[in-house]
Amino acid sequence: MAYLARRTGQALIVLAVAFTATFVLLQALPGDAILIKFESPELGLSPDQIADIRAAYGADNSVIEQFLHTLTGFVVGDFGYSVQYGTAVHELIGAALPGTLALAGFGFLVAVVIAVGLAVLSTLAPFAWLRSFLRSLPGLFVSVPVFWLGIVLIQVFSFQLRLVPVIGADPVQGLILPVLTLAIPISAPLAQVLVRSIDEVQLSPFVAVVRAKGASPARVLWRDVARNAVLPTITIAGVLIGELIGGAVVTETVFGRAGIGRLTEEAVRNQDVAVLQAVVVLAALVFVAVNLVVDLVYPVLDPRLKRKAVAA
Amino acid sequence: MSTPRITRLALASTAALAAAALLASCAGQAQSTDAAAGDPVEGGTLTYLEHQAYTTLYPPQAGFYPNGGLVNNLTARLTWQDPDSLEIEPWVATEWTVNADATEYTFDLRDDVTFSDGTPLDAAAVAKNFDTYGLGNTELGLTISEAINNYASSEVVDADTVTFRFSAPAPGFLQATSTINSGLVSPATLDRKLEDWGAGNAAEIVGSGAFVATREEIGTSLHLEAREDYDWAPPSFEHQGRAYLDAIDVVVTPEDSVRIGSLLAGQADVIRYVQAFDEAQVEGAGFEVIAAPTRGVNNSLGLRFTNPLLSDLRVRQALVHGVDAQEVVDTIFTENYPVATSELAATAKGYTDESEGLEYDPELSAELLDEAGWTVGADGIREQDGQRLSLTVYEAKPQPLSKQTLELVAQQLKEIGVELTVKAADSGSYAEDILDPLKTPLYHSMVGRADNDVIKSQYHTKNRNTLLSDDAELDRLLEAVASEPDPAKRDEASAAVQDHLTEQAYVIPLFEEPQVYGAATYVHGFRTESVARPLFYDTWVDEQ
């Protein structure tokens, strides 16, 4: 219980630091969203009109005032307005989040399935050449650019073979290609770590004992090796959240999907500070939460860690 | 397990590319979507792919193409400008009178027009629209329309008559009433804050056009439905009554190859922003490429003469004569991008031919630079008193293939000993740096509007001021364009501005920028308004 409280406290500190750092960094950037939107020559506004707008948005208040204003807003769940769209940030995020959650969630699941499939096959497949070929696949997957992969999948499966539409797809159809695009590069590090730890566990003495007792390779893998090999893979899975978010940015843009990634990309392009601030804090929240879950799952899988946690 | 498949995929895509290239090489040409059409058919949903998401539906900020493309279909205007003749015709206004010095306009309105919520579009509603667009509303954050100059007040004469008064002659106002920036929305809509016109609010914007937005997925898609009771198309249109289409799905598809591919694969019907290098592929596959002119200030490079390196007229002239616009068009663009012959497009109002003063003549450039005291240094770049003739320009994201264009211009300028550094910037530094003549001595831009006023918008110090000018004479000439009531004299005033810009070598015009659409062959009656925004009112689709 104390462990949980301490880890939660740490998580809150991480969030506060992320918030402050983002605020400072965004302030340090040249220009601001109002400059980009309203001073752009395209609107043809006169200097007086622009001065009025800056005053109306409070853009020329002191940094401290702006910080306190933003912070109190965040604490009560008010993330302000996007200057680019004019829309409330919580509305933009609310509209974008489900799409990204579905994409990232299924993307991760499919990545796990691919990774486990590769790891199992590369251990159990009949021929040595086939096993070594399967082992080389993650290296290939990890080096495929998400952007390129997305376009190739669309060109082939949607435009040439016409199996799934990209435009006017129903929610399920609309997920198939983006999920694959995201899953393939994410599966690579998972598979690599899983294969390596299976190898290591295979070499440990207790496995030799089980083998000597006459167990089949499949039984050894499932009953004895898998459980031990999965720990490092879970650690990597936690770290992959970052990559999942990065992959979502590209995937959502290529497929024209609504989502946090696309929203972020646009906010960066227009230096829409309110949106960026909210997205960074949200991302930090997800990252912290996932790592918290990973830490809490560890002791369940490995009782030795539970003893340590209690002792500490 | 996946090797064979991957190889097959690679083969399939290579084969597809080869086939596309083959088709492209025997391309046929189609000019408009009206070719070989039968009688219009009512019904159907059109899928239209946009390049970017819209940012606001507030009409004065509809210059951004995704905004304008929507506002054009969601709102009617007082007048309609014929995109070919550029004549102003009745629309919601049946007729109008203008006093001699163009400071007072009176419009008679149709009495049968309603907004999509059923409220009448009467003189009071029109007055409120133009009071907002002409004066702005600081409290609500609503900005003044760039298209309206010198606006003073409105007067509701009776239910279908409204008078507008101006503090100085405003000859551009009549045309301004035809632009998307003057789209008519309901009085209640005008009470919304600027924030409430943004993404997610489309269904609540009550307009007067043939279509109404009913569903929206923020940043991704928008569903427009035809108004059954719409019966006030401009009288010059052959087609009256409701729009032919039942609905339009506007889908934002930022990735070029996906937009083109969707069209060719039959998943989309009309797409905006066909890149020059994709035109052949679209035509080759039997689809139509529609390039609509934007009729304004050409795609060009403004020379900011307040930068000391550009203060010498001879240096600016050398730059103007050192750029080969023909080569830019031949290398990067297509025949849909005519080479500029003036600061204005040849299809723009008030255009005058300036090609003599803009000729490509690198030898003359070299002479001029020699005269100005710039001598060629060791690395081929000219120098004077230890200073290199080195200039900077930022890639302009809104202009098509801006980076490629600027890089080619940089190569051409290198021939005459001028170094041009092409910079890509994040939006924050870009927005800040383009306002500084020292950081951005050359500025890449264009602006579309089918009225003489467009040149004032681009170059006046109180408007876009793209030259960051301190030339009072230029301002004076521009004000003459905006305030000369006599149309013939107004064209003369416009010609005087172009002469001045050319004589002073303030601008390097490159080409006349079109908006390029791609459409399937079963789409008919697709047209654009005078500045190339799509108008779907007449569009219909064949049974496929």
Side-chain angles (χ1 to χ4, degrees):
Chain A
M1 211 55 220
Y3 175 68
L4 186 64
R6 195 159 44 86
R7 292 288 292 116
T8 314
Q10 282 170 352
L12 284 176
I13 292 171
V14 171
L15 282 180
V17 170
F19 175 86
T20 312
T22 320
F23 186 86
V24 170
L25 286 173
L26 289 173
Q27 285 293 326
L29 286 178
D32 59 45
I34 295 174
L35 173 77
I36 292 166
K37 184 167 182 188
F38 292 97
E39 293 188 44
S40 151
E42 286 183 18
L43 277 183
L45 297 176
S46 72
D48 296 348
Q49 291 162 3
I50 291 168
D52 283 349
I53 292 169
R54 293 199 76 86
Y57 276 93
D60 296 326
N61 291 352
S62 76
V63 174
I64 302 289
E65 270 176 296
Q66 292 191 40
F67 179 80
L68 290 177
H69 181 256
T70 316
L71 183 62
T72 43
F74 266 69
V75 171
V76 299
D78 170 14
F79 306 136
Y81 286 87
S82 150
V83 172
Q84 189 59 27
Y85 283 118
T87 313
V89 173
H90 69 83
E91 234 176 275
L92 288 175
I93 288 187
L97 200 55
T100 302
L101 284 181
L103 177 64
F106 285 110
F108 187 72
L109 275 183
V110 172
V112 168
V113 170
I114 296 176
V116 170
L118 273 179
V120 169
L121 286 176
S122 65
T123 310
L124 297 181
F127 310 105
W129 64 264
L130 184 56
R131 289 197 294 271
S132 85
F133 166 73
L134 289 170
R135 274 158 184 259
S136 69
L137 276 185
L140 177 70
F141 287 175
V142 84
S143 50
V144 170
V146 180
F147 183 74
W148 179 85
L149 181 65
I151 290 179
V152 167
L153 290 177
I154 291 176
Q155 290 289 344
V156 174
F157 290 103
S158 185
F159 297 162
Q160 299 300 326
L161 304 176
R162 307 198 172 192
L163 296 175
V164 263
V166 177
I167 307 297
D170 66 41
V172 176
Q173 288 175 330
L175 270 174
I176 297 174
L177 295 181
V179 160
L180 266 183
T181 306
L182 194 57
I184 288 177
I186 298 285
S187 72
L190 282 178
Q192 275 169 332
V193 172
L194 195 55
V195 166
R196 189 158 308 150
S197 49
I198 288 176
D199 286 351
E200 271 168 24
V201 180
Q202 293 265 30
L203 292 175
S204 48
F206 85 93
V207 175
V209 173
V210 178
R211 279 226 184 85
K213 285 184 178 164
S216 74
R219 198 199 118 96
V220 174
L221 179 64
W222 292 121
R223 291 284 304 270
D224 306 305
V225 177
R227 202 182 151 112
N228 290 291
V230 87
L231 271 183
T233 317
I234 286 184
T235 312
I236 283 290
V239 174
L240 279 178
I241 288 295
E243 250 172 78
L244 216 49
I245 294 171
V249 175
V250 178
T251 311
E252 285 167 358
T253 305
V254 170
F255 286 87
R257 286 176 59 86
I260 296 289
R262 179 99 169 270
L263 185 68
T264 311
E265 186 262 334
E266 274 166 11
V268 169
R269 191 145 38 82
N270 300 303
Q271 220 173 95
D272 204 336
V273 175
V275 175
L276 287 175
Q277 182 85 54
V279 166
V280 171
V281 171
L282 184 73
L285 185 71
V286 170
F287 205 86
V288 163
V290 167
N291 280 293
L292 190 61
V293 170
V294 168
D295 285 356
L296 296 179
V297 166
Y298 255 40
V300 179
L301 287 172
D302 190 339
R304 287 170 303 176
L305 292 171
K306 193 182 286 172
R307 277 199 303 277
K308 259 186 226 160
V310 171
Chain B
M1 76 191 168
S2 27
T3 8
R5 175 169 291 175
I6 282 181
T7 327
R8 230 183 307 142
L9 298 194
L11 279 176
S13 24
T14 321
L17 280 175
L22 260 178
L23 279 169
S25 61
C26 50
Q29 189 125 4
Q31 275 310 317
S32 85
T33 60
D34 293 271
D39 285 331
V41 182
E42 211 167 87
T45 298
L46 182 98
T47 302
Y48 172 63
L49 303 191
E50 239 305 338
H51 174 220
Q52 293 156 297
Y54 83 93
T55 55
T56 178
L57 294 176
Y58 178 56
Q61 292 184 13
F64 182 53
Y65 267 89
N67 300 354
L70 292 170
V71 170
N72 197 33
N73 290 288
L74 298 174
T75 65
R77 273 91 72 186
L78 281 185
T79 59
W80 165 255
Q81 184 173 31
D82 183 290
D84 298 317
S85 69
L86 302 187
E87 291 297 313
I88 306 295
E89 300 172 353
W91 191 349
V92 171
T94 50
E95 53 185 54
W96 50 86
T97 51
V98 186
N99 69 350
D101 62 353
T103 53
E104 196 177 295
Y105 287 71
T106 300
F107 291 87
D108 282 335
L109 311 177
R110 293 178 69 128
D111 55 11
D112 59 344
V113 181
T114 56
F115 292 107
S116 56
D117 63 355
T119 53
L121 196 171
D122 53 14
V126 170
K128 184 163 180 178
N129 271 269
F130 283 93
D131 284 350
T132 308
Y133 302 161
L135 301 170
N137 187 329
T138 314
E139 211 173 297
L140 299 175
L142 303 178
T143 53
I144 291 182
S145 168
E146 185 190 15
I148 301 176
N149 286 307
N150 307 327
Y151 187 88
S153 64
S154 64
E155 183 196 336
V156 177
V157 179
D158 59 45
D160 50 19
T161 314
V162 59
T163 298
F164 300 108
R165 297 200 170 82
F166 296 82
S167 58
F173 181 67
L174 184 61
Q175 193 272 347
T177 62
S178 77
T179 64
I180 43 162
N181 303 105
S182 301
L184 298 169
V185 295
S186 79
T189 303
L190 291 166
D191 291 333
R192 300 168 74 88
K193 286 186 300 181
L194 183 63
E195 279 80 17
D196 299 331
W197 298 73
N201 294 290
E204 291 155 48
I205 302 300
V206 176
S208 48
F211 291 91
V212 177
T214 53
R215 282 200 309 276
E216 175 177 15
E217 216 182 301
I218 293 180
T220 320
S221 68
L222 206 65
H223 185 74
L224 311 184
E225 279 176 27
R227 268 184 79 180
E228 288 298 335
D229 60 345
Y230 182 86
D231 197 15
W232 44 89
S236 64
F237 283 28
E238 237 174 83
H239 166 211
Q240 294 292 322
R242 58 154 276 184
Y244 294 127
L245 292 168
D246 284 340
I248 303 166
D249 277 322
V250 181
V251 184
V252 180
T253 315
E255 175 51 37
D256 290 339
S257 69
V258 176
R259 225 164 40 252
I260 302 276
S262 304
L263 177 70
L264 302 191
Q267 294 178 21
D269 307 312
V270 178
I271 63 173
R272 184 178 81 84
Y273 206 51
V274 176
Q275 297 273 21
F277 50 75
D278 283 326
E279 283 183 17
Q281 193 194 352
V282 174
E283 281 177 344
F287 289 76
E288 288 168 38
V289 170
I290 301 140
T294 50
R295 300 174 179 281
V297 174
N298 281 326
N299 185 302
S300 51
L301 298 170
L303 301 179
R304 268 102 178 247
F305 46 87
T306 44
N307 180 310
L309 288 174
L310 295 176
S311 61
D312 188 327
L313 173 62
R314 290 167 298 189
V315 172
R316 298 198 299 272
Q317 284 173 331
L319 290 172
V320 170
H321 294 297
V323 171
D324 185 358
Q326 186 69 51
E327 192 193 17
V328 170
V329 169
D330 291 346
T331 314
I332 301 169
F333 296 97
T334 66
E335 59 190 14
N336 291 323
Y337 297 72
V339 171
T341 51
S342 165
E343 292 76 15
L344 288 182
T347 50
K349 274 201 152 184
Y351 160 85
T352 185
D353 190 348
E354 297 284 335
S355 44
E356 216 167 298
L358 302 172
E359 256 172 24
Y360 174 56
D361 189 347
E363 281 162 32
L364 176 60
S365 297
E367 275 170 37
L368 286 161
L369 289 171
D370 288 340
E371 254 177 60
W374 290 93
T375 50
V376 181
D379 60 350
I381 301 302
R382 288 173 187 266
E383 296 169 352
Q384 188 179 55
D385 305 332
Q387 195 177 18
R388 283 157 55 85
L389 190 45
S390 174
L391 301 162
T392 304
V393 64
Y394 276 100
E395 174 193 358
K397 292 265 162 60
Q399 311 313 324
L401 304 175
S402 171
K403 185 158 181 280
Q404 291 85 338
T405 303
L406 296 173
E407 278 166 358
L408 181 53
V409 167
Q411 276 180 35
Q412 295 172 349
L413 290 179
K414 205 172 168 200
E415 303 285 315
I416 58 165
V418 178
E419 182 177 60
L420 181 65
T421 310
V422 181
K423 278 199 181 172
D426 64 86
S427 47
S429 343
Y430 176 76
E432 209 165 79
D433 288 358
I434 57 166
L435 302 175
D436 181 350
L438 295 179
K439 286 183 175 153
T440 312
L442 269 70
Y443 179 62
H444 191 194
S445 67
M446 64 78 70
V447 52
R449 182 183 164 195
D451 184 73
N452 299 55
D453 271 3
V454 72
I455 200 162
K456 174 178 176 268
S457 295
Q458 178 81 342
Y459 298 117
H460 195 276
T461 49
K462 289 265 163 54
N463 295 115
R464 298 186 181 212
N465 193 16
T466 54
L467 296 175
L468 302 175
S469 156
D470 62 356
D471 181 347
E473 171 69 2
L474 177 61
D475 269 3
R476 197 189 60 76
L477 291 169
L478 290 166
E479 280 153 21
V481 176
S483 58
E484 173 53 64
D486 179 63
K489 285 191 187 152
R490 214 168 159 227
D491 284 352
E492 278 168 32
S494 180
V497 172
Q498 292 164 72
D499 289 345
H500 184 74
L501 290 170
T502 309
E503 276 158 22
Q504 292 298 317
Y506 284 162
V507 181
I508 307 176
L510 296 171
F511 54 84
E512 304 188 354
E513 191 173 315
Q515 276 291 309
V516 184
Y517 298 87
T521 45
Y522 52 80
V523 175
H524 306 286
F526 172 78
R527 65 195 288 175
T528 53
E529 47 83 82
S530 58
V531 194
R533 270 92 181 182
L535 187 70
F536 291 108
Y537 173 66
D538 280 340
T539 306
W540 56 280
V541 287
D542 266 337
E543 305 267 328
Q544 292 166 54

